[in-house]
Each structure stands twice: as structure tokens, then as C-alpha cells.
Amino acid sequence: MFGAMQDWPLRLGRLFDHVAREHGTREIVSYQADGGTWRSNWAEAVADARRFAQALERLGIRPGDRVATLATNHLRHLIAWFGTIGMGGVLHTINPRLFDDQLAYIANHAEDRVLLYDPAFAPLVERLKPRLASIEHYIPLDDAFNALLVAEDGDYRWVEGDERAPAMLCYTSGTTGNPKGVLYEHRSTLLHMMGQVQPDVFNFSARTVTFPITPMFHANAWGLPFAAASVGAKLVLSMVNDPSVLHRLMIEEAVTHSCAVPTIWLAMLQHIEREGGDFGKLAMISCGGSAAPRAMIAEYLDRNIQFAHLWGMTELSPIGTVCALPADWDERDREARLDFVTKQGRTPFGVELRVVDEGGRELPRDGRASGRLQVRGPWTVDRYFQDEKGVCTDPDGWFDTGDVAVLHPDGMLQLTDRAKDVIKSGGEWISSVDLENAAIGCAGVAEAAAIGVSHPKWDERPLLLVVRKVGSEVDEEEVRTYLSTKVAKWWLPDAILFVDTLPHTGTGKLLKTALREQYRDYKLPDT
Amino acid sequence: MFGAMQDWPLRLGRLFDHVAREHGTREIVSYQADGGTWRSNWAEAVADARRFAQALERLGIRPGDRVATLATNHLRHLIAWFGTIGMGGVLHTINPRLFDDQLAYIANHAEDRVLLYDPAFAPLVERLKPRLASIEHYIPLDDAFNALLVAEDGDYRWVEGDERAPAMLCYTSGTTGNPKGVLYEHRSTLLHMMGQVQPDVFNFSARTVTFPITPMFHANAWGLPFAAASVGAKLVLSMVNDPSVLHRLMIEEAVTHSCAVPTIWLAMLQHIEREGGDFGKLAMISCGGSAAPRAMIAEYLDRNIQFAHLWGMTELSPIGTVCALPADWDERDREARLDFVTKQGRTPFGVELRVVDEGGRELPRDGRASGRLQVRGPWTVDRYFQDEKGVCTDPDGWFDTGDVAVLHPDGMLQLTDRAKDVIKSGGEWISSVDLENAAIGCAGVAEAAAIGVSHPKWDERPLLLVVRKVGSEVDEEEVRTYLSTKVAKWWLPDAILFVDTLPHTGTGKLLKTALREQYRDYKLPDT
């Protein structure tokens, strides 16, 4: 027996109709690379998206075909999103910061038929062209794009279809192996959006002025263009990420909500400390990508701005947890508030979390047991694009995030390490991140990296690599004595080596794979 | 081609697991008929719901079977909801205020197998028993219910199934014909819930303390128990609706959000004016059922309490529109704010509205064109229970609400009349409600009813029936002169008759069907 409510598939075209109809005059502001500011609104953007859908059909693009973008945050990029999705295509955002090999691999693997790109990326596109096998139409997002729109009448109804049909595609830039594509559905995107606007996630209303600094090529700007459309928020986009431009837009456009990675929020604070001024009407920051420092969060809280940590992944559309305010927020003093908001937060309905041991058995949510973090839900990846087999090999459909975490009894998530970096000693886990953070507190230590080195009895034991601060002569004994006051005795490294530099990835993270390779045959002192 | 995200059906059991896991210790407070206050929490309530699911299975109840309740708002009623839905049953709330004939019709039509009831309704149940054909188990919600729970171990996993499977059933108490059942799905209920918690609808977070005064048998208490569960709000329930009890609970339990019909909010104000005190932490009122008077809304706004009008129907789960704050709220003065919040509001994503003329053609959203209001969406009814044919006879699947309304360019809904009460004069519509409200403003008029009477030239013309205030001698000429300053000339009634009383329904509404019957052959003066 089925229920008796309407059959109304969760298709993104219905969202575009909704915002054009209910919030058509609400503004979209786009700060362009040339310093100009374009002002449009949801009704106009959706009308242009209809024209772009017609243009794509005229080019022979069909539902399911991939239309790629190499673009920053701006109005035409948004129109390209809505138009492609509305005609049943798959909008594939490509991160222009990747290496040429990765870019070519991604576009070929996705079998993109169209590539839209910012004029600034023209040299990159020219360089890549000989290596791109499937692209038939190269369209710069300038007057050429405009000419496509002008040629159409906009009398167009969105393509209907199954709510599980694909709408967007985004590749993860993993540190190992080839990038993997996550193929978002109409349904998954809309459920994510409905979860996202609630008070304990992004808290979006018709009074919101949202300014996603997060790139549109990075997990769909965390889905914010859709969230803004659903409530009729004013949307501010900027092609330029210079703190002075960002700050000016925040003030001039009366931004209330913004989101970015911690480095942006640090740069914004430094800008204001240097230049003066304040954050205007900014009421809420969503911050993800990596953990934000406590001292920086404190500065925002002291300015009466809510600072919400977000943990997510491309594979999660991207929202996993958000550190929204707890029930007892009003009763907490400043330090107790900071203790709370430095954690990764809790899951909204639609994300299930668990931690498991190496045998796949669920661990208690006791704030102590550390294990592999797994996720399940309607906006969690099932399989990567073009893969026959799902990534969720667990029989109950859990996706393994590759993170190691602790879950607290109140549902709070605390990330400890990446699974591949954890040091496995005698059946117990040592967090390489915790060990490194402890070592950095020792006077004279500039940077530290902890890796597991094989050990005949304990399986692995920690090796700590230390870069001294300029002029420091800190030695192994001093570091060891300091560490013994900070971590459990069995966590103490079996060896501490001093090195001149440590290898890093393009985004500044420690390249542990290289270190593990380099020290694979290292013999620990007592073996 | 399908997308590649997880297959995670929208089943209510997943919501129950979510709240028990993520917000288990958050309180549920139940004020009992005997004056006692029970304190529980979400983990305990869900654990008891598992036991009740086991008990139902032991009684031979199967997925799809209907389990009815005749009950007020309290913890055991909530446990019965979750347990029944979790084992795949259909929880059927029955409104105990209906007449015996309606109650018997509803229970028999639904083919209920179990009836749970408040001990206070035992005499009613005894009286009805001989007329109830399908009920096998009569279970009072007292120690007998508790004994069922105690007998089970609670080691139970919710029944899985299709997200379109039915979860709840609620009959509309229409003024014409037999009551009609709306069969809510797991999917429709969860999508409604996700739309509901957002800032511009009910604005629920983990800091919310919600107190639904709206009965659980009235469109599922507007879905609030589910909304509360999804965010981990504290839930306050009361079996008693006396203003002094409601007020005490609001203060003692630090209620932040509440909802009820306008009469309750008027009674609460009168209580506080009489007894002193304030509304404590109450921040937001949701008010539906009928339009709230401007003067009353002003009192709440002046106390810094957000007053959100809600328009809904049992057929809409029930949310249609909510009058949340507009983008320019901060710039509006008191009167401009009142102008806004006295309207019915806007639709969240998931509700589509349109007004059509008598030929079914869509009318412009210009703030002037008045027509039949139609609705579409994933939580709108498709067909009534046990009906083969859908109610949405429109080829595009629109549900006709039976209301007459105007839509404004900014998406605001303004209800004008019930379609069957509107007076059709020369192809134009006269709102009977507007005419009555205008007449009531005339000195000496206690009550007024406007109905259409057939007219050879204009099809229908208005007849106004007036009840004088005690001691008043107001006459036709005075009423007509007064009305001519309030309504268009062609709206003026062709006749005004003075009567001693007007007929009403059980809930105090004018019984227009009886009046139309009585005056069917009335000859207007100039015909």
C-alpha cells in the first residue's frame, strides 16, 4: 500500500521556478575581475538560465551530457549552472588550481562535451586543448556566452525526469591515485539544501545576504547557491578574493552570512586590524576545510559574530557536521563557548555517523574510543563516477571517510587524524596529528611530523621528525622531556630526528606519503 | 543514467533513530490531566516506542494496518505515534470533538484495528463500541498501555520499506459530505518536516523549547513532534488547555516557540492582563486556523514576540504559507510591520501556489486578480483515503483548496473567501467575508452573514442578514450608508434583513449552507 500524497519529484528545475516566482526581485550581486559590479536578481538569472538551456540544446547537448566549467564565482557561472541542470545536463565544475595532468585526466574521464571558462583561464585552456579528447564546444564566459543567450527567446520549460538523475559532477583531488568524480543527483542536492538552510546548519532566511567565498568549483560552493535560492536570500559573488575587496563587498552589500576556509578568515581579521573598520552586518560565519585556531575563533565571537565550524567532504555534498550553538549556549562563559565551537559539531538529520574499529565493529560514543569515521545518508556518495562498484563495501552501506575520529555522548564529532596517517602500535592507535601539535609547543621547534615505522613487536612505533627554529639548538632529550608532559608514555616517539625541511603538498599540508616512503626502512634504536 | 549517491529512503524510523542517538538526553515534558508533570527525554521515548512496536506486532498488527488514537497531547500519545509508524503501521489520529456519527464513520471507513484512548474518553468509547466494526483492541492510555510496554524488551529495529508507504492518517471534518481521510507518507512527512524547521517557517534549532498547543489530532499537531525530533528541541506537551496552566508551563519550562489558533493567543493575553506576568522566553508564535486580529498581533509584537501567521490545511500536511519576516523588516515602522504580518505569508520551497479563474486559467500575481487557490507539492494530497481517483482533476496535478485568494507580486498570499461562499455577480466575485467584516463595523451590528441569492440579470446578488446588538435599533438605511463608505458600490447588498440569530457550526463558524438553503427562493426587491 502506498500513501496518497502527490508525486512531485525533487528536481532542481522546481527550485529555479520557485525562486524566480516567489523571490524574483531579490538581488544577485557579482563583483567582476575588472572591478565592475553587476547587479541582477533571481528572476533575471533564471530567465537567462532558460536561454542557456535552449542554447545548449541548439548545440546538440542532451540530458545526461556533461558541461564543464573552469570558472570563479560570478553571475554567468551561476547562469551556466542553472541552465545546464535545468535542461537535464550534468554541470561539471573543474578546479582550475589543479595541475595540467589532473585537469586533462578529469575532463577526459568525465567525457565533457562543453567547456565554459573564465577569460583569465584562456591560456590554460589553449595549453590543455590538444589533450582534451571529448570537448566539442569551448565557450569563454564573456561576450561569446552572452551572444548565446541573446540568440534565444527564453520560452523554455525545464526538462523533467527522475529525481535520482544526475545534476552535477565534482572530482576530489585526492593525494593518492587519480581524482574521483562524485555525481550528485537532483534529489541528493535538494535534500542537502533543505537540511542546509535550517538554523543549526546555515540558518538562511529571506533576510539573509549570503556571500560564499568558497569557490563554486569546490563541492558546489558547499551548495550555497541552491540554499540561497530556496529562501530568497540575496547572493553576493566575487571573482576576486583579495581581503580588501571582500571586506568592501561585505560592508557595501550588508552581508549577513559568509563562508570560507580558515585562512580567509584569518586574512580578513588581519585586514581589519590593519585598515580599521568592522564586519558590518555579518552575523554568521561558516568555516570549513580545516580546523580553525581557537584564538581566531575567539576574535569573531568577541565581535558578536557566530562562528560555525563545518566538517564535510566532496563525497558528502559536502555537509557532514556543523558546530551550531548548543542548548546551553546562553549559560556558558567565554571559555566554555570556545571549548564547544572549536569542535567539528553535530550532524543534521540526513547524515548518520559512526566510528568503527579495524574489524568494522561499531565503537561506543563515549568521547574516548577512537576509530574510523563512517557516514551514511541521502547526500553521501554511493560510488564514484564511471565506477561499476560502490565505494561503500560495508554491507550496511557505510561510506568510510578515511578520517579517524571520536564521537561524544552528546553527538559531537572530534576528528583525530587521517586513517592513513594514524600510527598503529600494539593494536592501539596513536594520532600523528596530536603528537605533532604537542611537539610544536616545545620551545625551539618550528615544525614536526610524526609517522609510523615498522616494529617487530608493536607493529608500528612513532618516529618524530623535527625542524628547529632558526638559531635554536633544541635537542632530542628536551623534546622528549617536553612531550612526556603532554602525551601518554606509550605515545612517546621511539626516535626523534632533526631535519632541515619537511615535504608539503601544493596546499601546504605535510606530505606524509613521501616521508613514509623515505623512512620505510628506518631501524628504530631498540630493534 | 542515474546519479551515484546513496539509496537512503526517507523513512520516519530514521528520524526516531536520529533523535535518540544525537539528542537523546533532550527533555520531553508532559503535563498530565491529574496535574502531574512527567519528565522524559527523546532516548527514553524512542526506547518505549520500540517496545510499543513490539507490542503491536504481538497483537498481530501488520505494516499498513491502522492504529487509531482518541487522545490529547501527552507523552504516551507520542510514544504511540512513533511505535506505530516505526513498525510500519498507520497512526490514525481521530478528533474527539466530532459528533458520534462522524467518529463512527471515520473509524469504520479507516478500518482501524486498534483504538488507543485517553481514560477521559472512556465513556465516549463505550458509547461508540457497538457501532465500530473493525476495532479488535481497545487500549486505554493508562496503566494498561504501560503494561504492554513493560512486557517487551525494546530490542527492535524499525520496519524498512518504501518511502511512499503510508505513515499517518487524518480526516478532514468538512462542512459538507462525509469526512475525508488524508493518508500521509513517510516521505511526505519528512519533506514537510525539513521544510518546517527552516528560519522562515518554524525556525527550530537545538536551543528551541517548543510547546505545540495545537492538538496532536489536528493535522498531526502541524507536524511539530517530528520537527522537534529532527533538531533535538525540547518538547512540552499539555493535556490541559486552561490559560493559567499553559502560562505556567511556558514560564517554568522556558518555552521559546509555541503554536495555536487565535482564540488561544487571545485568551493568553487576557490571562496575563488579568493575572500579571509576562511570556518569559517566548520568542516566536505560529498562529493558524483562522486569521488573527491586527490588534492582538500588535500586542505580541510590542512584547518583542515574533507572530507568524500560518495558512494550511489537513490536505497540506498542513503547511501552505507562513508569514515570516520580509527582507526589509528592520526598516519598517510598527504599522508597516503590522500590515505585513496580518497577511497569510509566503510558501516555502515544496509548496507551489496559483490562482485560477473559473475556466482554470492561471491569473496574474498582481495583488488584484482574485481566483480559486490551487496548490501542488510533495506534501499536498493526491487522493483521499480509499478513493480510487485523485482529487487533483487538473491535468497538471493542482489541488483545488476551495479558497478564493489574491497573490501579490512579492509572493504574499491574501485569502478572500471560501469558494463556495463567494457571491458571483455579473462575472465578478464579491467576498462574503469582506462584506460581513465591513457590516460588523457599523454601530449596533452584533453579527452579519452575506450570501448570494439568485438574480435574473447578475446571476447572484448579495443578501445581508444582520443580528442587532441588544438594545440597538439600527436600521437598513444606516447599515447601507455605513457600508457605502467601506465597499465598492456594486458590492452593496440588494437587501438587508434583520434576524434574531444566525446558525453556526460546532466550532462557531457561520453555517452558510443552512442560510443558503433557507433563503434559496428569496426574491430580491428589484426582481
Side-chain angles (χ1 to χ4, degrees):
Chain A
M1 183 170 76
F2 286 97
M5 307 308 277
Q6 291 192 355
D7 195 16
W8 196 90
L10 297 172
R11 292 281 298 190
L12 281 157
R14 292 165 187 237
L15 172 69
F16 309 153
D17 288 342
H18 168 81
V19 71
R21 194 175 54 224
E22 308 295 342
H23 307 281
T25 59
R26 191 75 163 133
E27 268 189 308
I28 300 173
V29 177
S30 183
Y31 184 84
Q32 302 297 106
D34 64 3
T37 302
W38 292 1
R39 310 194 86 83
S40 182
N41 64 35
W42 287 107
E44 288 172 12
V46 169
D48 277 346
R50 287 185 210 280
R51 290 189 190 94
F52 186 60
Q54 289 175 307
L56 285 176
E57 288 186 354
R58 194 178 298 276
L59 293 175
I61 305 304
R62 313 262 314 198
D65 286 352
R66 271 75 71 198
V67 174
T69 61
L70 263 177
T72 53
N73 292 10
H74 55 83
L75 178 63
R76 282 179 177 151
H77 196 179
L78 185 77
I79 291 166
W81 275 30
F82 284 18
T84 303
I85 294 167
M87 60 74 64
V90 177
L91 195 286
H92 173 204
T93 55
I94 305 183
N95 181 348
R97 295 175 191 160
L98 297 177
F99 303 111
D100 285 13
D101 282 356
Q102 292 173 308
L103 292 170
Y105 172 85
I106 286 173
N108 291 331
H109 186 266
E111 300 171 60
D112 295 324
R113 293 190 60 197
V114 178
L115 178 63
L116 301 154
Y117 57 96
D118 284 3
F121 299 130
L124 171 64
V125 171
E126 286 308 315
R127 197 168 69 227
L128 286 172
K129 260 185 188 170
R131 304 172 63 182
L132 303 180
S134 58
I135 292 173
E136 300 157 44
H137 307 281
Y138 291 88
I139 306 170
L141 289 162
D142 56 14
D143 289 347
F145 180 77
N146 217 39
L148 283 178
L149 303 187
V150 169
E152 307 294 339
D153 64 8
D155 183 11
Y156 184 84
R157 287 182 76 165
W158 308 120
V159 170
E160 284 288 348
D162 196 284
E163 66 182 34
R164 299 291 301 268
M168 299 193 82
L169 176 63
C170 186
Y171 280 71
T172 61
S173 46
T175 48
T176 54
N178 281 319
K180 296 184 264 306
V182 181
L183 190 65
Y184 305 111
E185 307 158 349
H186 286 260
R187 171 186 166 101
S188 70
T189 306
L190 284 176
L191 290 177
H192 180 267
M193 177 200 84
M194 292 180 82
Q196 182 167 36
V197 297
Q198 64 180 296
D200 279 350
V201 181
F202 274 84
N203 196 27
F204 272 18
S205 75
R207 293 162 308 292
T208 296
V209 180
T210 180
F211 184 11
I213 300 172
T214 307
M216 289 171 71
F217 54 77
H218 190 176
N220 304 335
W222 303 352
L224 290 169
F226 303 121
S230 88
V231 299
K234 173 174 164 180
L235 178 64
V236 181
L237 299 170
S238 175
M239 295 179 78
V240 179
N241 274 349
D242 178 77
S244 66
V245 170
L246 297 180
H247 182 243
R248 183 154 65 78
L249 283 168
M250 276 188 193
I251 300 299
E252 288 180 0
E253 304 302 334
V255 169
T256 60
H257 291 63
S258 184
C259 69
V261 292
T263 45
I264 296 274
W265 294 118
L266 198 59
M268 293 298 292
L269 272 180
Q270 289 164 348
H271 172 80
I272 279 185
E273 276 160 19
R274 203 169 51 236
E275 307 289 334
D278 59 27
F279 286 95
K281 290 194 180 293
L282 189 66
M284 182 172 176
I285 286 171
S286 303
C287 183
S290 57
R294 184 182 179 101
M296 183 184 91
I297 297 177
E299 294 240 32
Y300 283 101
L301 291 195
D302 291 347
R303 290 165 187 269
N304 247 332
I305 297 169
Q306 187 186 347
F307 193 98
H309 246 147
L310 180 146
W311 168 76
M313 302 176 77
T314 302
E315 286 90 339
L316 303 186
S317 304
I319 295 173
T321 62
V322 175
C323 194
L325 308 183
D328 66 354
W329 182 254
D330 287 346
E331 289 89 60
R332 285 176 182 248
D333 65 17
R334 185 171 179 277
E335 290 308 307
R337 288 178 171 192
L338 279 168
D339 288 346
F340 191 88
V341 296
T342 46
K343 294 205 186 79
Q344 276 74 31
R346 298 200 278 198
T347 54
F349 174 72
V351 179
E352 297 180 52
L353 297 180
R354 69 171 189 178
V355 286
V356 297
D357 65 17
E358 301 227 55
R361 284 173 298 266
E362 185 166 356
L363 294 169
R365 302 173 151 242
D366 58 4
R368 290 190 309 271
S370 172
R372 294 182 77 96
L373 179 63
Q374 300 188 326
V375 183
R376 213 164 55 170
W379 60 76
T380 299
V381 70
D382 178 60
R383 60 192 183 284
Y384 291 111
F385 184 48
Q386 310 273 32
D387 279 5
E388 289 290 317
K389 245 183 67 182
V391 282
C392 311
T393 48
D394 175 276
D396 291 322
W398 291 92
F399 167 68
D400 194 302
T401 63
D403 280 320
V404 174
V406 167
L407 285 170
H408 291 261
D410 63 356
M412 290 293 283
L413 170 70
Q414 192 180 342
L415 292 179
T416 4
D417 207 345
R418 291 291 298 166
K420 61 183 188 305
D421 295 339
V422 90
I423 299 158
K424 288 152 191 159
S425 173
E428 301 283 347
W429 289 357
I430 297 170
S431 162
S432 66
V433 172
D434 286 356
L435 210 48
E436 289 155 7
N437 286 345
I440 286 166
C442 178
V445 173
E447 195 177 12
I451 56 169
V453 175
S454 65
H455 186 283
K457 181 175 175 190
W458 301 110
D459 187 14
E460 286 186 349
R461 286 297 300 160
L463 165 66
L464 187 71
L465 302 160
V466 172
V467 180
R468 288 194 185 90
K469 280 188 181 159
V470 178
S472 161
E473 293 186 6
V474 63
D475 64 17
E476 173 162 3
E477 200 46 41
E478 286 166 334
V479 174
R480 187 176 301 280
T481 307
Y482 178 81
L483 281 178
S484 65
T485 67
K486 300 289 171 188
V487 301
K489 192 159 182 292
W490 67 276
W491 276 37
L492 288 174
D494 282 28
I496 299 176
L497 300 182
F498 292 88
V499 294
D500 292 337
T501 58
L502 288 167
H504 295 91
T505 68
T507 55
K509 291 178 186 171
L510 279 171
L511 197 59
K512 298 267 182 89
T513 43
L515 288 173
R516 275 194 291 268
E517 183 61 29
Q518 189 181 345
Y519 292 93
R520 195 171 44 180
D521 300 322
Y522 182 80
K523 289 274 169 258
L524 291 167
D526 70 341
T527 58
Chain B
M1 183 169 76
F2 285 97
M5 308 307 277
Q6 291 191 355
D7 194 18
W8 196 91
L10 298 173
R11 292 281 297 190
L12 282 157
R14 291 165 188 239
L15 172 69
F16 309 153
D17 287 343
H18 168 82
V19 70
R21 194 175 54 224
E22 308 295 342
H23 306 282
T25 59
R26 191 74 163 134
E27 269 188 308
I28 300 174
V29 177
S30 183
Y31 184 84
Q32 302 298 106
D34 64 3
T37 302
W38 292 2
R39 309 194 87 84
S40 182
N41 63 36
W42 288 106
E44 288 172 11
V46 170
D48 277 346
R50 287 185 211 281
R51 290 189 190 94
F52 186 60
Q54 290 176 305
L56 286 176
E57 290 186 353
R58 194 179 297 277
L59 293 174
I61 305 304
R62 312 261 315 196
D65 287 351
R66 272 76 71 197
V67 174
T69 61
L70 263 177
T72 53
N73 291 9
H74 55 84
L75 178 62
R76 282 178 176 150
H77 196 180
L78 185 77
I79 291 166
W81 275 29
F82 285 18
T84 302
I85 295 167
M87 60 74 64
V90 177
L91 195 286
H92 172 204
T93 54
I94 305 183
N95 181 348
R97 294 177 192 157
L98 297 177
F99 302 112
D100 284 13
D101 282 356
Q102 292 173 308
L103 292 170
Y105 172 86
I106 287 173
N108 290 332
H109 186 265
E111 301 172 61
D112 295 323
R113 292 191 61 197
V114 178
L115 178 64
L116 301 154
Y117 57 96
D118 284 3
F121 298 131
L124 171 63
V125 171
E126 286 307 315
R127 197 168 69 228
L128 286 171
K129 260 184 187 171
R131 304 173 63 181
L132 303 181
S134 58
I135 293 172
E136 300 157 43
H137 306 281
Y138 291 88
I139 306 170
L141 289 161
D142 55 14
D143 289 347
F145 180 78
N146 217 39
L148 284 179
L149 303 186
V150 169
E152 307 295 338
D153 65 7
D155 183 11
Y156 184 84
R157 287 182 75 165
W158 307 120
V159 169
E160 283 289 349
D162 196 284
E163 66 183 34
R164 299 291 301 268
M168 299 192 82
L169 177 62
C170 187
Y171 281 71
T172 62
S173 46
T175 48
T176 54
N178 280 319
K180 297 185 264 306
V182 182
L183 190 65
Y184 305 111
E185 306 158 350
H186 286 259
R187 171 186 166 101
S188 70
T189 306
L190 284 175
L191 290 176
H192 180 267
M193 177 199 84
M194 291 181 81
Q196 181 168 36
V197 297
Q198 64 180 297
D200 280 349
V201 181
F202 275 83
N203 196 27
F204 271 19
S205 75
R207 294 164 306 294
T208 295
V209 180
T210 181
F211 184 12
I213 301 171
T214 307
M216 289 170 72
F217 55 75
H218 191 178
N220 305 335
W222 302 352
L224 291 169
F226 303 120
S230 88
V231 299
K234 173 176 164 180
L235 178 64
V236 181
L237 300 171
S238 175
M239 295 180 78
V240 179
N241 274 350
D242 178 77
S244 67
V245 170
L246 298 180
H247 182 243
R248 183 153 64 80
L249 282 168
M250 277 188 191
I251 300 300
E252 287 181 1
E253 303 302 334
V255 169
T256 60
H257 292 62
S258 184
C259 69
V261 291
T263 45
I264 295 276
W265 295 118
L266 198 59
M268 291 299 292
L269 272 180
Q270 289 164 347
H271 172 80
I272 279 184
E273 276 158 20
R274 202 169 50 236
E275 307 288 332
D278 58 28
F279 286 94
K281 291 193 180 291
L282 189 66
M284 182 171 177
I285 285 170
S286 303
C287 183
S290 57
R294 185 182 178 101
M296 183 183 91
I297 297 177
E299 294 239 32
Y300 283 101
L301 291 195
D302 291 347
R303 289 166 188 267
N304 247 331
I305 296 170
Q306 187 187 344
F307 193 97
H309 247 147
L310 180 146
W311 168 75
M313 302 176 77
T314 302
E315 286 90 339
L316 303 185
S317 304
I319 295 173
T321 62
V322 175
C323 194
L325 308 182
D328 66 354
W329 182 254
D330 287 346
E331 289 89 61
R332 284 175 183 247
D333 65 17
R334 185 171 178 278
E335 290 307 308
R337 288 178 172 193
L338 279 168
D339 288 345
F340 192 88
V341 296
T342 47
K343 295 206 186 79
Q344 276 75 30
R346 298 200 279 197
T347 54
F349 174 72
V351 179
E352 297 181 51
L353 297 180
R354 69 171 189 178
V355 287
V356 297
D357 67 15
E358 301 225 56
R361 284 173 297 267
E362 184 165 358
L363 294 169
R365 300 172 152 244
D366 58 5
R368 290 191 308 272
S370 173
R372 295 182 76 95
L373 179 64
Q374 300 188 327
V375 183
R376 212 164 56 170
W379 59 76
T380 299
V381 70
D382 177 59
R383 61 191 182 283
Y384 292 110
F385 184 49
Q386 310 273 33
D387 279 5
E388 289 291 316
K389 247 183 65 183
V391 283
C392 312
T393 48
D394 176 275
D396 291 322
W398 291 93
F399 166 70
D400 194 302
T401 63
D403 280 321
V404 174
V406 168
L407 285 170
H408 290 262
D410 63 355
M412 290 293 283
L413 170 70
Q414 192 181 341
L415 292 179
T416 1
D417 208 345
R418 289 292 297 168
K420 62 183 186 307
D421 295 338
V422 90
I423 300 159
K424 288 152 191 161
S425 172
E428 300 283 345
W429 288 356
I430 297 170
S431 162
S432 66
V433 172
D434 286 355
L435 210 48
E436 290 155 8
N437 286 345
I440 286 166
C442 177
V445 173
E447 194 176 14
I451 56 169
V453 175
S454 65
H455 186 284
K457 181 174 177 191
W458 301 110
D459 187 13
E460 284 187 347
R461 286 298 300 161
L463 165 66
L464 186 72
L465 302 160
V466 172
V467 179
R468 288 194 185 91
K469 280 188 181 161
V470 178
S472 162
E473 293 186 4
V474 63
D475 63 18
E476 173 161 2
E477 199 46 40
E478 285 168 334
V479 174
R480 187 175 301 282
T481 306
Y482 178 81
L483 281 178
S484 65
T485 66
K486 299 290 172 188
V487 301
K489 191 159 182 294
W490 66 276
W491 277 36
L492 287 175
D494 283 26
I496 299 177
L497 300 182
F498 291 88
V499 294
D500 292 337
T501 56
L502 288 167
H504 294 91
T505 68
T507 55
K509 290 179 184 170
L510 278 170
L511 197 58
K512 297 266 182 91
T513 45
L515 288 173
R516 275 194 290 269
E517 182 61 28
Q518 189 181 345
Y519 292 93
R520 194 171 46 179
D521 300 323
Y522 182 80
K523 290 274 170 257
L524 291 167
D526 70 340
T527 57

